[in-house]
Amino acid sequence: MVIGDDKHISIPDLSDYRTAGSRLNGLRCIHTHIHDEPISQEDLTELVLLGLDLMATVIVDADGIPGPIEYAHILPKNIGDRGWDITKVPDSGQLDVDFIDLIQAIEDELARTDRRPTLEKKDRAILVAVATGPSRDTRESLEELRALATSNELDVADVIIQHLKKPDPRFFIGKGKLSELVLRCTQTGANLLIFDNELTPNQIRSLTDYTELRIIDRSQLILDIFARRAITREGKIQVELAQLKYMLPRLAEKNTAMSRLTGGIGARGPGETKLEINRRRAKERIVSLNRELEKIRQQRQDRRKLRNARRLPVISIVGYTNAGKSTLLNTLTNSSVGARNRLFETLDPSSRRLRFPREREVIITDTVGFIRALPRSLMEAFAATLEELHDADLLLHVVDASNPRMEEQIKTVNEILLQLELKDIPVIIAFNKADLIPSEEASSLARMLDGIPVSSLNRETLRPLLARIEEFLWHQ
Ligand SMILES: Nc1nc2c(ncn2[C@@H]2O[C@H](COP(=O)(O)OP(=O)(O)OP(=O)(O)O)[C@@H](O)[C@H]2O)c(=O)[nH]1
Ligand SMILES: [Mg+2]
């Protein structure tokens, strides 16, 4: 029993009532309104946020005699933009509904929506962005976020954009939109919100507490992908370092949302065992990881010295993630490094020999791809890997010419090259995936930006590129 005053009731903490597996929480709230008002926005918010079976208001008169009753329940699917249904019965005495049946039917329908396409138990996410500028930019950015999410084997249940002059300081999105979001999660079985924008630690905490969902932002998603892909010792150390550095400023001394923060998506990387890590232990771990990384860096340098002593020219392939860098390396050198249609397939660099006519040889390397707003902590942690790029005599910038965001991607890559202080190394641009666009478009692109159209899947198309490389290395 909960008692309120004539305006509000405040519902106590119900977290114990959430039962795993069933969508609604098994509670029905029946309360009275004494001023003849209908079900309020506040009632509906509680219904949605708490996942109640039912919210009912009975209007009583001054003598306490019940009059009309109104009840609201969540709809398994939105009708228009409304996710709930309200029914009014003029006289409580005439209420003739089997609520057990009604609620069971809603739950069955919710469970049906939950039937997933694959047997694997995946996280299901709703992507959220706040647009403060042109909505085209936000939509494009969300498309990339979707690619990131699916590359990380998440289901994307929905994508939601809110236009705001400036983000809400507490929840980032507006509170009304937030209730709508929680409802969409209930309807679609989503258990995760991924924000395209960077959230402050406080916003993450407020959102987690308010919605009881897991909340991550774009940077954390990228970090999580890296954690999933890291195979080598070096890769793993770098990723853990990046995650710790990302988390450190977000580690409050006492923080209940912490477990959800550190857990990432599937509790990979610095996961469950470090739930209680405090700042001090995180810092200690960073120091020890850095030390280990330094050792690896030393070994790498030794290896490089050996290689350089043989004076083979080095060509490094760089470019936006998924541009086709590894595919190009494979086709050029008949190798089989991992290449797949998902973002950040490659984390660990690979080097191969590439033979040119007249017994000439070069070393060609493939490395981790770039992306817009690459989290700083990742850039820092991957310094050892990226350091190799400084040895290159030539950078081969692979561009996915079929990507609608090609121009921004070129810009991003150029900016990152600038940050890495690689701008002095000559670059040849390869407009890859030329097979996916009309050939006139490919050749005009190539002319305009002084690049070479190629299709890395087809060895024949690489001749002009090889000729350009040869020309650069031996005939200038
Ligand atoms: N149609 C077409 N697809 C290509 C071409 N080159 C690469 N791909 C495809 O693009 C996808 C990404 O290729 P990758 O070589 O893995 O790309 P990457 O640049 O190494 O990507 P990351 O390692 O994730 O940064 C794969 O599915 C390739 O088969 C091309 O010339 N034409
Ligand atoms: Mg690759």
Side-chain angles (χ1 to χ4, degrees):
M1 168 85 80
V2 187
I3 300 183
D5 59 20
D6 63 338
K7 299 214 174 47
H8 303 284
I9 48 165
S10 91
I11 296 186
D13 180 13
L14 296 177
S15 35
D16 290 349
Y17 284 89
R18 285 211 172 239
T19 46
S22 95
R23 299 317 196 65
L24 302 173
N25 76 354
L27 292 178
R28 295 136 215 182
C29 174
I30 304 167
H31 65 299
T32 53
H33 278 188
I34 56 179
H35 296 305
D36 195 19
E37 335 92 307
I39 260 185
S40 65
Q41 193 54 50
E42 199 181 333
D43 292 333
L44 293 171
T45 306
E46 302 279 15
L47 170 77
V48 166
L49 276 182
L50 300 172
L52 299 179
D53 289 2
L54 194 82
M55 172 63 86
T57 53
V58 184
I59 294 173
V60 293
D61 66 15
D63 301 322
I65 308 294
I69 179 166
E70 261 188 299
Y71 61 88
H73 61 77
I74 287 174
L75 287 169
K77 284 200 186 75
N78 273 4
I79 294 180
D81 60 357
R82 228 168 21 89
W84 54 81
D85 193 40
I86 305 176
T87 309
K88 185 166 182 173
V89 179
D91 178 358
S92 317
Q94 297 191 335
L95 189 62
D96 180 24
V97 182
D98 187 334
F99 284 106
I100 303 287
D101 267 5
L102 173 70
I103 292 159
Q104 190 58 51
I106 299 169
E107 293 220 299
D108 288 350
E109 190 57 30
L110 283 171
R112 223 167 53 79
T113 340
D114 186 37
R115 211 161 286 155
R116 300 177 180 190
T118 60
L119 289 173
E120 204 185 328
K121 189 158 171 51
K122 290 179 181 180
D123 280 313
R124 186 177 277 203
I126 292 188
L127 311 183
V128 191
V130 165
T132 47
S135 55
R136 182 169 158 260
D137 294 354
T138 310
R139 275 202 307 276
E140 288 190 350
S141 181
L142 273 170
E143 271 317 300
E144 186 168 273
L145 190 69
R146 184 196 283 275
L148 283 166
T150 49
S151 293
N152 206 18
E153 288 167 43
L154 300 172
D155 269 346
V156 176
D158 206 351
V159 176
I160 289 181
I161 300 183
Q162 185 177 35
H163 294 271
L164 282 178
K165 280 214 181 61
K166 71 179 197 338
D168 183 83
R170 177 140 175 248
F171 292 118
F172 199 73
I173 53 172
K175 201 150 172 197
K177 201 70 179 176
L178 190 56
S179 315
E180 193 184 304
L181 248 177
V182 174
L183 179 57
R184 286 300 291 149
C185 287
T186 313
Q187 290 172 331
T188 56
N191 57 349
L192 178 68
L193 297 179
I194 307 178
F195 283 75
D196 195 30
N197 321 65
E198 181 128 348
L199 300 172
T200 66
N202 276 335
Q203 283 164 340
I204 294 188
R205 213 164 303 142
S206 310
L207 283 165
T208 315
D209 290 347
Y210 190 78
T211 62
E212 301 199 336
L213 294 163
R214 271 177 303 161
I215 313 285
I216 63 167
D217 61 17
R218 188 174 182 278
S219 295
Q220 272 175 296
L221 178 59
I222 294 175
L223 285 168
D224 203 78
I225 296 177
F226 273 67
R228 206 185 258 246
R229 301 267 198 279
I231 305 167
T232 59
R233 181 84 194 119
E234 180 176 12
K236 286 187 173 147
I237 293 175
Q238 292 182 123
V239 171
E240 186 177 352
L241 198 57
Q243 288 184 311
L244 283 169
K245 282 184 173 174
Y246 179 85
M247 260 157 42
L248 194 59
R250 292 163 173 80
L251 277 175
E253 294 306 329
K254 266 191 287 170
N255 178 4
T256 51
M258 202 37 230
S259 54
R260 296 161 193 148
L261 251 180
T262 42
I265 292 169
R268 282 177 290 274
E272 307 287 30
T273 55
K274 302 204 187 61
L275 288 188
E276 336 67 61
I277 36 168
N278 50 30
R279 289 171 152 275
R280 190 175 52 79
R281 292 203 17 227
K283 278 186 189 151
E284 280 168 11
R285 181 86 184 134
I286 288 179
V287 170
S288 100
L289 287 172
N290 266 325
R291 211 173 288 142
E292 211 170 325
L293 207 54
E294 188 48 45
K295 256 189 247 152
I296 294 174
R297 183 177 292 167
Q298 206 58 51
Q299 290 163 0
R300 269 188 177 285
Q301 261 173 15
D302 295 346
R303 242 182 305 161
R304 262 157 53 202
K305 269 191 209 129
L306 257 176
R307 217 161 59 198
N308 292 353
R310 272 184 259 143
R311 291 180 189 283
L312 290 183
V314 176
I315 301 174
S316 288
I317 304 178
V318 294
Y320 212 80
T321 180
N322 208 42
K325 301 177 293 298
S326 304
T327 311
L328 179 61
L329 179 87
N330 285 340
T331 308
L332 280 174
T333 64
N334 284 324
S335 329
S336 52
V337 310
R340 253 177 87 172
N341 191 16
R342 56 179 198 180
L343 307 192
F344 297 115
E345 170 63 16
T346 309
L347 284 202
D348 299 307
S350 329
S351 298
R352 295 288 184 276
R353 277 159 189 262
L354 172 59
R355 278 175 219 289
F356 281 86
R358 273 170 290 183
E359 298 302 304
R360 287 192 289 231
E361 257 186 355
V362 301
I363 303 279
I364 183 157
T365 68
D366 171 36
T367 190
V368 57
F370 300 160
I371 196 165
R372 183 182 64 79
L374 195 63
R376 221 197 132 62
S377 66
L378 262 181
M379 283 274 277
E380 286 169 12
F382 273 74
T385 299
L386 296 168
E387 203 169 77
E388 296 234 339
L389 294 175
H390 287 273
D391 289 343
D393 299 283
L394 176 66
L395 297 178
L396 197 53
H397 178 171
V398 177
V399 173
D400 176 355
S402 73
N403 195 300
R405 294 180 298 278
M406 176 193 71
E407 280 172 42
E408 291 98 276
Q409 297 186 341
I410 295 177
K411 215 172 123 224
T412 299
V413 170
N414 285 335
E415 280 164 11
I416 294 175
L417 291 177
L418 192 69
Q419 281 173 40
L420 294 172
E421 300 178 359
L422 292 166
K423 269 310 207 187
D424 294 336
I425 303 179
V427 181
I428 293 177
I429 301 186
F431 288 104
N432 192 32
K433 309 197 188 180
D435 53 296
L436 299 178
I437 59 173
S439 62
E440 317 81 67
E441 201 179 303
S443 35
S444 93
L445 247 179
R447 248 196 328 277
M448 254 172 6
L449 296 165
D450 189 29
I452 297 168
V454 294
S455 172
S456 296
L457 295 174
N458 176 358
R459 198 159 213 295
E460 286 304 301
T461 68
L462 304 180
R463 282 169 195 269
L465 178 67
L466 284 166
R468 172 82 73 102
I469 295 174
E470 210 179 343
E471 165 85 24
F472 174 84
L473 289 175
W474 294 291
H475 300 295
Q476 317 201 44

